[in-house]
Amino acid sequence: MKGRIDTLRLTAEAAAGLLERGELSAAELHAAYAEAIAKRDGELHCYLRTTPYTGGAGVPIALKDVIGTEGVETTAGSRILSGYVPVYDSTVAARCKGAGLPLLGKTNTDEFAMGSSTENSAYGPSHNPWDPERVPGGSGGGSAAAVSAGLAPWALGSDTGGSIKQPAALCGIVGLRPTYGTVSRYGIVAFASSLDQVGPTTRTVRDCARLYGVIAGRDPRDSTTVDVPGVELPTAEDLRGIKVGVPRELNEAEGIEPGVKEQVAKAIALCEELGADVEECRLPLSVEYGLPCYYLIAPAEASSNLARYDGVRYGFRAQADGDLTAVYETTRDAGFGDEPKRRIMIGTYALAAGYYEAFYGKAQQVRTVIVREHAALFERYDVLVSPTSPTVAFRFGEKTENPVAMYLSDLLTIPSCMAGLPGLSIPSGLSEGLPVGLQLIGPQLSENTLFRVGHALEQALGFDFVPERLR
Amino acid sequence: MMAITREEVLHVARLARLALTEEEVERLQGELNVILEAVGKVRELDLEGVEPTSHPLDLVNAWGDDEPQPSLPLEQALSNAPEEEAGFFRVPPA
Amino acid sequence: MTAWEPVIGLEIHAQLKTRTKMFCRCEVGFGFEPNARTCPVCLAHPGALPVPNARAIEWTVKLGLALGCEVAARALFHRKNYFYPDLPKGYQISQYDVPLCANGRFSVPGPDGDNEIGVVRAHLEEDAAKTVHVGGGTGRKVGSAHSLVDFNRGGTPLVEIVTAPDVRSADEARRFLQLLRQTIVELGISDAEMEKGTLRVDANISVRRPGEGYRTRWELKNVNSFSFVARGIEVAIARQIELYESGGSVEQETYDFDPDTNALTPHRSKEEADDYRYFPEPDLVPVEFPSGEVERIRAELPEAPGARIRRIGETLELEAAQVLVANGRDPLYEALVEAGVDPRTAANVVLNEASALDPAGVDAKELARVVEARSELPRETYLEAIAASASAGFRADAYLSQRAVSDEGELAPLIERILVANPGQVEAYRNGKEGLLGFFVGQVMRETEGKANARVVSELVREQLAR
């Protein structure tokens, strides 16, 4: 193929086609993205670092900087890991390598994946390609913005309470949070162990399915993983035989912008047109208690997972007079930003003697309730739908005054995360010129159903994933 | 509603090995109270007899065989060490 | 001085001799270069995850069963959170309120009957790394005090056994520990050596008036032999009694014990009384050890040393039984007894003449025959026959008759010489002075330096004189 590749519109599937037909080499494709990044990432700051082409015959990929990559600096968006170069590949990075996917670079993230906007990154925020004065979402805003702006054909992110789905929604692209346990966490900088999952951030549902197939499946190095059914690339463009549940509490929660509600309502109507049975249903406690439950369990696990950052074996170590304790305390206070500190404090408190039962213990019980409520619905429905995010992309600084304001961005994604359920976000329309995401939630191991429903809707919606201002 | 006291903030910071500045202590006390208020909602529910969920999966017995795998070469084990001496990681006295 | 009752509980850590660590597959062992047996998991690199060692789990179940414990239907790993350089994750993966094994009992045969010590739990955890403290003085000059950390040991599987406070004396503690150690070693799961650190013991000590509830206890740590543990316990008991009787009180304290000075010094603690904030380990799934496997392991358990002591102690004195079992000589003893040897004789033989004998090659019935014949044999022959009984194919009758012949072969010329040298006494004997037999026998015995068998000599002399 002569002439330049315009990465702006390229899907991974289309790129794979180009490679297969020999229209260009993998090295050339990588170079095209490198060039696009050089030209346009200055404005968006999706990438923390880019990497040269070192081999691989497949479609290049960007990885969120919580995904460990051997020989390539991995910071998790934090100062405390500045300069840390892993001596081993995470399993997902190794699987991408094994599939011949060259690495484009590591994308920006809220520090330790804690946040909903990338404003918590120690290296500066990323910007939404639809409107650079607004956030791309978080924590995986870098990956979402890169894919949205054509600076990567696809990417991997990580999702704990919505960190793949919410940025996908705010950037107008596709994001999958897989069933807990289907993608290995080995080599992923841990935030909350019982919630973290790595997943695809892509332009189309088919790309998402394809990438999921590359990374999913049991890993003997991660005891919490399971085997997965084979991935089926979706083709059907109807929804006949699909029963769709519309949980009232998710769809009418406080704080959902009218524009978002409108777009989602249209998408739900479309489901019916495509042949699905659509019905309202209830999640009586999951939405109301999901956020508090998450913001106890996740910080508790995080407070423990972040204890290893002590300046002894890797990462930043502060100069401190005095003994070891002084080094620990100074290193950690200087190395961690405000949000990790907040969560470490909350988490430590929730686990502390005298408080365990009232906080962490209680939260684990609430989690059981959430699991049961969802399971009951899935006896009747194949998929539940709702908005992914209560709002479209917000402006920088809009939600940073009050930590809980930011936490509310995850209100709709969190409940299904607590139950380990998969969720797919697809763009369903625009509100005030900004993308609105539709969330599809399924029972455990129902990814193929989510792909099917997502693809059919995607085709029917015809949403153009290239940001208007870039076309 | 339980409010977190300054002493508790200091105690928790000690447990977590965070040397908070005075500004941080004050700010965090306020922020933690806001968060605790929000998450304290969980205590509203009557959860008598509800089992806690520690793991979202129904998985048990994921073990590895007692067969040795190669360890890291020494240079790699030490490669990220902030301070190293004669093959050991060096730290101030405890 | 009214009676005080010591109340002692023991915490024992045994390092399992698996090939790999508890949560990663780095090799376990001694003598490696520092940090040469490490990986992202045991170095706690970002993103590393634990994978439990199946053999360590099985061996913990085995030990728990040997200690009479119940195996949990569903056990969990927990995180124990604290900061120390030898703990790279900032938490230790251990077990908390649902350990693998619990509610057992361990009987220690004693002079006043068996002491049953409750085993509260036996659980599985990972060992910390090794920190070496270097240098002295303060300041930031090179050579100033600092610590060096070697992570090779970090992650080695440990079983922690916790007893109920049922031990009532320092001596009982020592006997308990010896028997426990032997039990562990015979299971083949650990070398359990205090000097090497593969067995560690902490003691919790308090005293009380009989009938009272529990009083405040002291913890004794870092003692590296059973006898020092016993001595440390004695010192602690005496000190506490002294305190109470002088009107003082006992505060909770952790001590190190110096066996050279018998001093108890407060332990320089790792961190202030910490809050470990235990919670279930989210990176590991629960352990539901299959009950079929539990039964298989239970059926394959060897008879515990305590049970053997008790059983043998039914026919032998307890102390002899203890010595036999402690030295691992009881299988040979029992085989001899079964072959008809009198128990006391058998014990004697096994502990003395046959003490160096490897029981593996011994046909006990043949050895028994040798033992039965001992009064007929020259001492040297007897000892050599015992030694020979360890070789394959040994037959007592064949061996002894051959030896008798050669013995006789050696003795005959000697006897002849003596008779020839004493013609007068020969004549006298032949003329009726039968008491002179003793004289000839005595001469032979003197010549052979007492090694000949007197009865055999007597026979042979009588034979020769009769010719």
mmCIF file of all heavy atoms in Angstrom, chain A residues 54-59 61 63 69-70 89-103 154 156 210-211 213-215:
data_model
loop_
_atom_site.group_PDB
_atom_site.id
_atom_site.type_symbol
_atom_site.label_atom_id
_atom_site.label_comp_id
_atom_site.label_asym_id
_atom_site.label_seq_id
_atom_site.Cartn_x
_atom_site.Cartn_y
_atom_site.Cartn_z
ATOM 1 N N THR A 54 10.103 -3.989 17.987
ATOM 2 C CA THR A 54 11.177 -4.973 18.204
ATOM 3 C C THR A 54 10.788 -6.338 17.673
ATOM 4 O O THR A 54 11.400 -7.352 18.015
ATOM 5 C CB THR A 54 11.489 -5.118 19.715
ATOM 6 O OG1 THR A 54 10.271 -5.441 20.394
ATOM 7 C CG2 THR A 54 12.093 -3.856 20.292
ATOM 8 N N GLY A 55 9.766 -6.387 16.851
ATOM 9 C CA GLY A 55 9.365 -7.679 16.301
ATOM 10 C C GLY A 55 7.891 -7.940 16.535
ATOM 11 O O GLY A 55 7.225 -7.204 17.247
ATOM 12 N N GLY A 56 7.384 -8.988 15.869
ATOM 13 C CA GLY A 56 5.965 -9.327 15.978
ATOM 14 C C GLY A 56 5.279 -9.006 14.678
ATOM 15 O O GLY A 56 5.499 -7.946 14.100
ATOM 16 N N ALA A 57 4.414 -9.929 14.227
ATOM 17 C CA ALA A 57 3.794 -9.762 12.920
ATOM 18 C C ALA A 57 2.373 -9.250 13.020
ATOM 19 O O ALA A 57 1.678 -9.154 12.010
ATOM 20 C CB ALA A 57 3.803 -11.106 12.184
ATOM 21 N N GLY A 58 1.926 -8.905 14.202
ATOM 22 C CA GLY A 58 0.511 -8.589 14.388
ATOM 23 C C GLY A 58 0.230 -7.117 14.562
ATOM 24 O O GLY A 58 1.093 -6.248 14.347
ATOM 25 N N VAL A 59 -1.003 -6.849 14.997
ATOM 26 C CA VAL A 59 -1.479 -5.473 15.162
ATOM 27 C C VAL A 59 -0.931 -4.908 16.471
ATOM 28 O O VAL A 59 -1.118 -5.517 17.517
ATOM 29 C CB VAL A 59 -3.023 -5.460 15.186
ATOM 30 C CG1 VAL A 59 -3.556 -4.052 15.427
ATOM 31 C CG2 VAL A 59 -3.568 -6.040 13.888
ATOM 32 N N ILE A 61 -0.203 -2.764 19.933
ATOM 33 C CA ILE A 61 -1.106 -2.551 21.061
ATOM 34 C C ILE A 61 -0.480 -1.645 22.102
ATOM 35 O O ILE A 61 0.744 -1.627 22.255
ATOM 36 C CB ILE A 61 -1.481 -3.922 21.680
ATOM 37 C CG1 ILE A 61 -2.598 -3.775 22.705
ATOM 38 C CG2 ILE A 61 -0.262 -4.601 22.296
ATOM 39 C CD1 ILE A 61 -3.233 -5.101 23.104
ATOM 40 N N LEU A 63 -0.483 -0.632 26.238
ATOM 41 C CA LEU A 63 -0.808 -1.263 27.520
ATOM 42 C C LEU A 63 -0.823 -0.216 28.626
ATOM 43 O O LEU A 63 0.106 0.588 28.748
ATOM 44 C CB LEU A 63 0.230 -2.341 27.860
ATOM 45 C CG LEU A 63 0.391 -3.500 26.878
ATOM 46 C CD1 LEU A 63 1.437 -4.488 27.388
ATOM 47 C CD2 LEU A 63 -0.938 -4.222 26.658
ATOM 48 N N THR A 69 5.704 -4.964 32.097
ATOM 49 C CA THR A 69 6.335 -5.302 30.832
ATOM 50 C C THR A 69 7.835 -5.425 31.073
ATOM 51 O O THR A 69 8.478 -4.489 31.551
ATOM 52 C CB THR A 69 6.093 -4.186 29.792
ATOM 53 O OG1 THR A 69 6.241 -2.903 30.434
ATOM 54 C CG2 THR A 69 4.695 -4.261 29.209
ATOM 55 N N GLU A 70 8.360 -6.608 30.760
ATOM 56 C CA GLU A 70 9.767 -6.860 31.031
ATOM 57 C C GLU A 70 10.645 -5.893 30.260
ATOM 58 O O GLU A 70 10.502 -5.726 29.045
ATOM 59 C CB GLU A 70 10.114 -8.295 30.641
ATOM 60 C CG GLU A 70 11.541 -8.672 31.006
ATOM 61 C CD GLU A 70 11.883 -10.098 30.602
ATOM 62 O OE1 GLU A 70 10.949 -10.875 30.362
ATOM 63 O OE2 GLU A 70 13.084 -10.404 30.522
ATOM 64 N N ASP A 89 7.667 -10.341 32.505
ATOM 65 C CA ASP A 89 6.458 -9.906 31.813
ATOM 66 C C ASP A 89 5.236 -10.360 32.591
ATOM 67 O O ASP A 89 5.186 -11.484 33.089
ATOM 68 C CB ASP A 89 6.370 -10.567 30.426
ATOM 69 C CG ASP A 89 6.771 -9.634 29.302
ATOM 70 O OD1 ASP A 89 6.709 -8.396 29.491
ATOM 71 O OD2 ASP A 89 7.131 -10.144 28.229
ATOM 72 N N SER A 90 4.233 -9.500 32.648
ATOM 73 C CA SER A 90 2.943 -9.983 33.122
ATOM 74 C C SER A 90 2.459 -11.039 32.130
ATOM 75 O O SER A 90 2.890 -11.069 30.980
ATOM 76 C CB SER A 90 1.937 -8.833 33.179
ATOM 77 O OG SER A 90 1.818 -8.231 31.898
ATOM 78 N N THR A 91 1.566 -11.887 32.595
ATOM 79 C CA THR A 91 1.043 -12.925 31.708
ATOM 80 C C THR A 91 0.331 -12.320 30.502
ATOM 81 O O THR A 91 0.496 -12.797 29.379
ATOM 82 C CB THR A 91 0.093 -13.851 32.491
ATOM 83 O OG1 THR A 91 0.854 -14.515 33.496
ATOM 84 C CG2 THR A 91 -0.538 -14.891 31.580
ATOM 85 N N VAL A 92 -0.437 -11.249 30.727
ATOM 86 C CA VAL A 92 -1.147 -10.678 29.577
ATOM 87 C C VAL A 92 -0.166 -10.070 28.572
ATOM 88 O O VAL A 92 -0.359 -10.196 27.362
ATOM 89 C CB VAL A 92 -2.239 -9.656 29.991
ATOM 90 C CG1 VAL A 92 -3.307 -10.319 30.818
ATOM 91 C CG2 VAL A 92 -1.665 -8.442 30.673
ATOM 92 N N ALA A 93 0.902 -9.431 29.074
ATOM 93 C CA ALA A 93 1.898 -8.881 28.141
ATOM 94 C C ALA A 93 2.563 -10.020 27.372
ATOM 95 O O ALA A 93 2.810 -9.912 26.173
ATOM 96 C CB ALA A 93 2.939 -8.059 28.893
ATOM 97 N N ALA A 94 2.840 -11.113 28.071
ATOM 98 C CA ALA A 94 3.465 -12.262 27.416
ATOM 99 C C ALA A 94 2.533 -12.867 26.379
ATOM 100 O O ALA A 94 2.965 -13.291 25.303
ATOM 101 C CB ALA A 94 3.853 -13.301 28.459
ATOM 102 N N ARG A 95 1.251 -12.923 26.690
ATOM 103 C CA ARG A 95 0.296 -13.473 25.730
ATOM 104 C C ARG A 95 0.173 -12.583 24.507
ATOM 105 O O ARG A 95 0.050 -13.075 23.376
ATOM 106 C CB ARG A 95 -1.067 -13.711 26.390
ATOM 107 C CG ARG A 95 -1.037 -14.894 27.337
ATOM 108 C CD ARG A 95 -2.369 -15.249 27.967
ATOM 109 N NE ARG A 95 -2.192 -16.406 28.852
ATOM 110 C CZ ARG A 95 -3.144 -16.942 29.585
ATOM 111 N NH1 ARG A 95 -4.367 -16.448 29.556
ATOM 112 N NH2 ARG A 95 -2.887 -17.992 30.355
ATOM 113 N N CYS A 96 0.207 -11.275 24.718
ATOM 114 C CA CYS A 96 0.178 -10.364 23.564
ATOM 115 C C CYS A 96 1.419 -10.585 22.714
ATOM 116 O O CYS A 96 1.350 -10.656 21.487
ATOM 117 C CB CYS A 96 0.111 -8.910 24.032
ATOM 118 S SG CYS A 96 -1.493 -8.429 24.688
ATOM 119 N N LYS A 97 2.560 -10.690 23.402
ATOM 120 C CA LYS A 97 3.814 -10.938 22.684
ATOM 121 C C LYS A 97 3.719 -12.233 21.898
ATOM 122 O O LYS A 97 4.107 -12.330 20.736
ATOM 123 C CB LYS A 97 4.947 -11.052 23.707
ATOM 124 C CG LYS A 97 6.198 -10.259 23.378
ATOM 125 C CD LYS A 97 7.245 -10.432 24.460
ATOM 126 C CE LYS A 97 7.613 -9.123 25.124
ATOM 127 N NZ LYS A 97 8.468 -9.275 26.291
ATOM 128 N N GLY A 98 3.197 -13.246 22.578
ATOM 129 C CA GLY A 98 3.067 -14.561 21.962
ATOM 130 C C GLY A 98 2.167 -14.536 20.747
ATOM 131 O O GLY A 98 2.351 -15.300 19.797
ATOM 132 N N ALA A 99 1.194 -13.616 20.747
ATOM 133 C CA ALA A 99 0.303 -13.484 19.601
ATOM 134 C C ALA A 99 0.898 -12.559 18.547
ATOM 135 O O ALA A 99 0.242 -12.232 17.562
ATOM 136 C CB ALA A 99 -1.054 -12.958 20.060
ATOM 137 N N GLY A 100 2.133 -12.094 18.772
ATOM 138 C CA GLY A 100 2.815 -11.262 17.789
ATOM 139 C C GLY A 100 2.387 -9.817 17.778
ATOM 140 O O GLY A 100 2.588 -9.114 16.791
ATOM 141 N N LEU A 101 1.813 -9.325 18.893
ATOM 142 C CA LEU A 101 1.344 -7.935 18.926
ATOM 143 C C LEU A 101 2.469 -7.027 19.422
ATOM 144 O O LEU A 101 2.816 -7.063 20.592
ATOM 145 C CB LEU A 101 0.134 -7.801 19.853
ATOM 146 C CG LEU A 101 -1.011 -8.811 19.661
ATOM 147 C CD1 LEU A 101 -2.166 -8.482 20.607
ATOM 148 C CD2 LEU A 101 -1.494 -8.843 18.228
ATOM 149 N N PRO A 102 3.017 -6.172 18.551
ATOM 150 C CA PRO A 102 4.129 -5.308 19.003
ATOM 151 C C PRO A 102 3.614 -4.260 19.989
ATOM 152 O O PRO A 102 2.487 -3.800 19.895
ATOM 153 C CB PRO A 102 4.609 -4.648 17.706
ATOM 154 C CG PRO A 102 3.949 -5.383 16.589
ATOM 155 C CD PRO A 102 2.688 -5.953 17.134
ATOM 156 N N LEU A 103 4.486 -3.865 20.925
ATOM 157 C CA LEU A 103 4.095 -2.888 21.940
ATOM 158 C C LEU A 103 4.305 -1.464 21.427
ATOM 159 O O LEU A 103 5.382 -1.122 20.923
ATOM 160 C CB LEU A 103 4.931 -3.114 23.209
ATOM 161 C CG LEU A 103 4.618 -2.223 24.408
ATOM 162 C CD1 LEU A 103 3.201 -2.468 24.909
ATOM 163 C CD2 LEU A 103 5.626 -2.485 25.536
ATOM 164 N N TRP A 154 -5.868 -0.731 19.374
ATOM 165 C CA TRP A 154 -6.496 -1.327 20.547
ATOM 166 C C TRP A 154 -5.529 -1.245 21.716
ATOM 167 O O TRP A 154 -4.341 -0.976 21.526
ATOM 168 C CB TRP A 154 -7.001 -2.742 20.301
ATOM 169 C CG TRP A 154 -6.004 -3.725 19.742
ATOM 170 C CD1 TRP A 154 -4.651 -3.569 19.587
ATOM 171 C CD2 TRP A 154 -6.309 -5.028 19.256
ATOM 172 N NE1 TRP A 154 -4.102 -4.688 19.040
ATOM 173 C CE2 TRP A 154 -5.085 -5.607 18.819
ATOM 174 C CE3 TRP A 154 -7.483 -5.781 19.134
ATOM 175 C CZ2 TRP A 154 -5.024 -6.892 18.290
ATOM 176 C CZ3 TRP A 154 -7.414 -7.062 18.606
ATOM 177 C CH2 TRP A 154 -6.189 -7.613 18.194
ATOM 178 N N LEU A 156 -4.963 -2.479 26.201
ATOM 179 C CA LEU A 156 -5.441 -3.176 27.395
ATOM 180 C C LEU A 156 -5.505 -2.188 28.549
ATOM 181 O O LEU A 156 -4.639 -1.330 28.706
ATOM 182 C CB LEU A 156 -4.499 -4.326 27.773
ATOM 183 C CG LEU A 156 -4.512 -5.553 26.873
ATOM 184 C CD1 LEU A 156 -3.522 -6.597 27.401
ATOM 185 C CD2 LEU A 156 -5.914 -6.160 26.793
ATOM 186 N N ARG A 210 -11.887 -10.294 19.915
ATOM 187 C CA ARG A 210 -10.635 -10.869 19.424
ATOM 188 C C ARG A 210 -9.531 -10.698 20.465
ATOM 189 O O ARG A 210 -8.791 -11.638 20.773
ATOM 190 C CB ARG A 210 -10.230 -10.221 18.115
ATOM 191 C CG ARG A 210 -9.029 -10.893 17.473
ATOM 192 C CD ARG A 210 -8.731 -10.325 16.109
ATOM 193 N NE ARG A 210 -9.283 -11.156 15.053
ATOM 194 C CZ ARG A 210 -10.062 -10.720 14.084
ATOM 195 N NH1 ARG A 210 -10.423 -9.458 14.024
ATOM 196 N NH2 ARG A 210 -10.503 -11.546 13.161
ATOM 197 N N LEU A 211 -9.413 -9.516 21.022
ATOM 198 C CA LEU A 211 -8.360 -9.259 21.987
ATOM 199 C C LEU A 211 -8.583 -10.059 23.285
ATOM 200 O O LEU A 211 -7.645 -10.585 23.888
ATOM 201 C CB LEU A 211 -8.265 -7.760 22.296
ATOM 202 C CG LEU A 211 -7.109 -7.293 23.168
ATOM 203 C CD1 LEU A 211 -5.767 -7.844 22.692
ATOM 204 C CD2 LEU A 211 -7.057 -5.762 23.212
ATOM 205 N N GLY A 213 -9.888 -12.907 23.446
ATOM 206 C CA GLY A 213 -9.439 -14.263 23.138
ATOM 207 C C GLY A 213 -7.932 -14.426 23.263
ATOM 208 O O GLY A 213 -7.441 -15.502 23.603
ATOM 209 N N VAL A 214 -7.189 -13.366 23.009
ATOM 210 C CA VAL A 214 -5.728 -13.440 23.132
ATOM 211 C C VAL A 214 -5.300 -13.544 24.595
ATOM 212 O O VAL A 214 -4.391 -14.283 24.948
ATOM 213 C CB VAL A 214 -5.059 -12.192 22.488
ATOM 214 C CG1 VAL A 214 -3.561 -12.149 22.807
ATOM 215 C CG2 VAL A 214 -5.263 -12.192 20.983
ATOM 216 N N ILE A 215 -5.972 -12.802 25.450
ATOM 217 C CA ILE A 215 -5.474 -12.695 26.832
ATOM 218 C C ILE A 215 -6.153 -13.611 27.838
ATOM 219 O O ILE A 215 -5.605 -13.873 28.908
ATOM 220 C CB ILE A 215 -5.577 -11.242 27.357
ATOM 221 C CG1 ILE A 215 -7.038 -10.757 27.358
ATOM 222 C CG2 ILE A 215 -4.679 -10.321 26.552
ATOM 223 C CD1 ILE A 215 -7.233 -9.383 27.980
#
